[in-house]
Amino acid sequence: TVPLIYDKTVLVIPKPRNKNSLSYQTSKVLAPFTAGLWGVVILVIVCTSLLSVWFAKGSSVKRPLRRRPKPSFRQELGVWSRLSLDSILEKGLFFFSGGVGQDEGSSL
């Protein structure tokens, strides 16, 4: 096909500066959302993770049938904090990877 008219407009931008600093690269990644919205996103990830650990309490953290002494508060706190951290990392990775899920039994 033959164009009807030719336009001699040329788009010119100034030569971009080569900025490789960590703060500049991070600000480019965080630029689409405001700080408040990033806070809401992170809060939602943490809340859903903690709720999933809370609701899975009865199914995934069962003691065997034989009698074991009840773990101390410090041991239980350690177990719950590890489960919570694992869940936060799992949900955050799922969110920021565009929904690509990880294997159920794999460790993060």
Side-chain angles (χ1 to χ4, degrees):
T1 62
V2 178
L4 298 174
I5 58 172
Y6 286 104
D7 192 8
K8 294 183 181 184
T9 303
V10 178
L11 298 177
V12 178
I13 61 169
K15 185 176 180 181
R17 292 177 283 169
N18 190 6
K19 289 187 178 180
N20 286 331
S21 68
L22 180 62
S23 63
Y24 179 72
Q25 297 296 333
T26 305
S27 68
K28 285 190 339 185
V29 170
L30 299 177
F33 300 139
T34 63
L37 188 56
W38 277 113
V40 168
V41 167
I42 292 172
L43 182 69
V44 166
I45 289 172
V46 169
C47 287
T48 56
S49 300
L50 294 177
L51 286 174
S52 71
V53 169
W54 179 265
F55 289 129
K57 175 180 168 182
S59 62
S60 65
V61 186
K62 289 186 179 177
R63 288 188 287 166
L65 292 175
R66 64 178 190 193
R67 288 297 221 185
R68 279 190 172 180
K70 185 174 177 164
S72 68
F73 176 74
R74 188 176 184 139
Q75 289 172 332
E76 283 190 14
L77 185 64
V79 168
W80 286 111
S81 61
R82 277 192 317 244
L83 286 172
S84 299
L85 179 64
D86 187 48
S87 182
I88 289 170
L89 291 174
E90 178 187 356
K91 302 287 188 278
L93 185 64
F94 181 77
F95 178 79
F96 289 112
S97 66
V100 177
Q102 305 296 317
D103 291 335
E104 288 269 333
S106 67
S107 175
L108 296 176

